[in-house]
Amino acid sequence: MRVLLTSVLFYIVTVTGAMAQNPEYQGDHGDWRVFTHGSAESRVCYTISRPTQSLPANVNHGEVFFLIASWRSGDSEEQPSFRAGYPLRSDSPPRAHVDSDRFKMFVSGQEGFLETPSEDNQLVQSMRRGSTMRVEATSTRGTATSYTFSLRGVTAALQHIKQICD
């Protein structure tokens, strides 16, 4: 269920054209942008950020971002996920680091997720306290990558999501 929810969200975020309803921009909070999609109980609220640094610099990383999503229906609240611009290696899953806190994710295609809602909560709390987060990942080709995300504004963005998705 957890993978499906964020995969559906990624589809919503990236699909364009007449058949797709565009996400609604709700505002910026530091380095995080807030969007909603859908209405009533099907409304999804999320905040998204792109890395401030992508290493190694000499490779094509594609579209990389980190997001935290909540569903008005209550299916998930503050679910963090990492999205790489390339397929991730499942036997070398992404790892998120905020200060001394470490979180190992599992892989689903180009996405990294935490195993349980309690781990989601721990990572989000670390993000609220921290100033930067580093995510390390490995492509299916074996390329080791590292991304630095600014956490400036993440707390305000999550408060905004809570207001518009409750």
Side-chain angles (χ1 to χ4, degrees):
M1 176 83 160
R2 297 173 56 72
V3 174
L4 177 62
L5 289 174
T6 301
S7 294
V8 167
L9 178 62
F10 180 74
Y11 176 78
I12 291 167
V13 171
T14 58
V15 173
T16 60
M19 298 302 289
Q21 177 187 358
N22 289 327
E24 293 182 35
Y25 170 73
Q26 300 293 328
D28 285 344
H29 298 279
D31 293 314
W32 292 78
R33 301 185 84 190
V34 174
F35 294 89
T36 58
H37 186 273
S39 61
E41 286 301 308
S42 67
R43 176 175 251 184
V44 179
C45 304
Y46 59 96
T47 185
I48 188 167
S49 187
R50 295 189 183 276
T52 56
Q53 182 180 45
S54 301
L55 297 173
N58 64 338
V59 300
N60 179 359
H61 295 269
E63 293 291 320
V64 176
F65 57 87
F66 200 90
L67 67 87
I68 304 171
S70 291
W71 282 254
R72 179 176 273 173
S73 65
D75 285 341
S76 185
E77 185 176 328
E78 294 185 348
Q79 181 187 10
S81 63
F82 168 71
R83 173 74 183 192
Y86 49 86
L88 295 168
R89 191 169 165 176
S90 61
D91 65 346
S92 182
R95 295 156 313 280
H97 307 267
V98 181
D99 297 326
S100 63
D101 297 334
R102 307 281 187 258
F103 303 90
K104 185 177 176 182
M105 300 176 158
F106 69 90
V107 171
S108 177
Q110 293 181 237
E111 298 172 290
F113 303 92
L114 297 164
E115 290 286 340
T116 66
S118 66
E119 289 176 309
D120 289 349
N121 185 50
Q122 291 171 7
L123 175 54
V124 170
Q125 292 309 313
S126 293
M127 292 172 71
R128 288 176 190 225
R129 290 188 306 268
S131 60
T132 60
M133 174 177 60
R134 189 175 77 251
V135 177
E136 298 167 347
T138 305
S139 74
T140 54
R141 292 181 177 183
T143 304
T145 58
S146 175
Y147 304 96
T148 301
F149 293 87
S150 167
L151 299 176
R152 186 176 65 90
V154 72
T155 298
L158 291 170
Q159 289 170 341
H160 190 177
I161 285 173
K162 187 158 184 64
Q163 291 172 349
I164 60 179
C165 231
D166 271 351

